[in-house]
Amino acid sequence: MPSSLARHSPEAITLADACPKPVIHQASFKVSYNYPVIFTHRVFDTNNPVLVQTLGLQEPEKRQRVLLLIDEGVANHTPQLVEQWNKYVDYYSASIASAGKPVMVPGGESAKDDTRLQDQLSQHIERNGIDRHSYVIAIGGGAMLDAVGLAAATAHRGVRLVRLPTTVLAQNDAGIGVKNGINKFGQKNWYGTFAPPFAVINDDQFLQTLKPNDRRAGMAEAVKVALIRDAAFFNWIEDNAQALARFDRAAVQYLIERCAQLHLHQITQAGDPFERGTARPLDFGHWAAHKLEKMTQNRLCHGDAVAIGMVIDSRYATLTGLLESQALERILNVLQSLGFTLYDTALKQRDAEGRRLLVQGLEDFQRHLGGELSITLPDTIGTAREVHVIDASILEQALADMQTGTALCN
Ligand SMILES: NC(=O)c1ccc[n+]([C@@H]2O[C@H](COP(=O)([O-])OP(=O)(O)OC[C@H]3O[C@@H](n4cnc5c(N)ncnc54)[C@H](O)[C@@H]3O)[C@@H](O)[C@H]2O)c1
Ligand SMILES: [Zn+2]
């Protein structure tokens, strides 16, 4: 019987009255997660036991079976990687064994766009006999880690995953958290799970082969988290922008560690690691970024799109009186000093009815959150608040100002 009928027909009321009270047994339990995020140097050097010790954390007496998956972008720049791995496994053969030949996995956003890749990754995990007590080690950028993370989380309902992130963004954000996912139905990260890794090992040596834009991209996430959570860190980025722009090793290392620490703090201490609520502070600047990545078919990489997304939201915050224009100026300056471009022609694109395509990103974002719209906006350098309504005309003004390069203080 349709529910509207059931609600109104007297017959249904009599039946409902006659129904016994439901018996409810509440299933309630907690699962705690604990994983290390380790910073080290030259992880496959046989003098460095960090990896083998990490693999032995759970079952120290056992010889651990491991399948290595490598981002092709990393493998191309580090051709000696497989040889180093083989030597490492030989050297520690009492403790670890290779489950099969290392697998090369396409890197970059296209890896997340190709749903066939998931099937191939699952096949590698299955054929090499990885079970819930053996390991997948994924070496790569954020996109490859997201794709492999999903395959590992769904194989046998979750096999152990050790991530070795190889980009700035992966080491300070994408690779250290609890999410994975691939793109589907034209939307970023539509298909994915929450699945904390077994461990994360950040080796700064990998960063040396990054292209200039991939060096810079991850710095956007550091500006993001500094801007909403840590004014002192923001000041530090401002003071060290030159060193960061020339990829000074010590400066980059500090930036990554502090950024990773702030992300981990949000995940572990803010009470919503699996994002069941609607507030998503770590997604500051991301509603626009995700849309821009799609609109430009990834010509804009994630980090570059996040930088522009933060400019949009910060400008909007200033126009609504939330953020002082002086603070906005500092945000724009720091992003520019790091080498980000703060405008892209994609912002101009409109649909047949003349609406800006970008603005649809707000709807996509709300759908992704579920429930009400929640956008994080900075209110000072170092703090932010959630807003639930975006004024279309003020947003239009912010975008128009960006297009014309309107001065801030007038
Ligand atoms: N899961 C999460 O919580 C989370 C958080 C933030 C971002 N992300 C995702 O991360 C992705 C972006 O990751 P990214 O910025 O690391 O870029 P990326 O993974 O797209 O990598 C960029 C390029 O660099 C190559 N590469 C990787 N490491 C290299 C190295 N050491 N040397 C040379 N080339 C190398 C890759 O093959 C690729 O071609 C996006 O898909 C984004 O959605 C996920
Ligand atoms: Zn991001």
Side-chain angles (χ1 to χ4, degrees), residues 71 73-74 108-109 112 141-143 146 166-167 174 179 188 206 209 214:
D71 184 320
V74 179
E109 200 63 27
K112 284 176 64 170
D146 269 356
T166 59
T167 64
K179 297 189 278 188
K188 284 270 298 183
F206 283 119
T209 58
D214 288 318

Side-chain angles (χ1 to χ4, degrees), residues 173 221 286 302 306:
D173 183 354
E221 303 284 3
H286 278 57
H302 183 71
V306 169

Side-chain angles (χ1 to χ4, degrees), residues 6 11-20:
E11 189 191 346
I13 292 169
T14 321
L15 277 177
D17 288 346
C19 257

Side-chain angles (χ1 to χ4, degrees), residues 151-333:
T154 45
H156 298 293
R157 299 202 173 103
V159 297
R160 294 174 183 168
L161 172 69
V162 175
R163 302 194 197 116
L164 268 63
T166 59
T167 64
V168 174
L169 192 137
Q171 292 197 354
N172 68 12
D173 183 354
I176 61 163
V178 296
K179 297 189 278 188
N180 57 54
I182 58 169
N183 310 328
K184 215 165 167 163
F185 309 122
Q187 291 169 57
K188 284 270 298 183
N189 305 324
W190 188 92
Y191 191 52
T193 71
F194 287 94
F198 185 87
V200 181
I201 302 179
N202 278 339
D203 179 350
D204 66 326
Q205 191 61 27
F206 283 119
L207 307 177
Q208 302 316 309
T209 58
L210 285 174
K211 286 197 232 124
N213 68 318
D214 288 318
R215 293 179 164 195
R216 185 184 59 231
M219 297 185 196
E221 303 284 3
V223 172
K224 170 199 80 180
V225 76
L227 186 47
I228 60 170
R229 286 285 180 267
D230 186 348
F233 185 35
F234 190 92
N235 296 343
W236 181 90
I237 299 175
E238 270 181 329
D239 294 344
N240 291 275
Q242 304 278 319
L244 290 166
R246 57 167 196 275
F247 215 59
D248 173 86
R249 215 164 167 149
V252 170
Q253 199 53 21
Y254 178 76
L255 174 117
I256 292 175
E257 263 195 65
R258 182 66 190 140
C259 178
Q261 214 180 2
L262 289 165
H263 273 112
L264 285 175
H265 188 267
Q266 179 69 31
I267 293 167
T268 60
Q269 306 300 313
D272 193 16
F274 289 177
E275 300 178 349
R276 293 192 171 125
T278 45
R280 213 57 74 73
L282 294 180
D283 278 351
F284 163 52
H286 278 57
W287 72 265
H290 286 166
K291 190 71 185 170
L292 280 171
E293 284 175 78
K294 283 282 155 213
M295 285 167 65
T296 61
Q297 277 103 44
N298 306 323
R299 173 176 54 74
L300 281 178
C301 72
H302 183 71
D304 286 348
V306 169
I308 295 175
M310 289 193 288
V311 173
I312 296 170
D313 285 354
S314 303
R315 269 196 182 263
Y316 179 89
T318 301
L319 287 172
T320 55
L322 200 62
L323 181 73
E324 284 184 2
S325 53
Q326 220 183 359
L328 174 61
E329 198 123 30
R330 286 178 65 194
I331 296 166
L332 302 188
N333 283 339

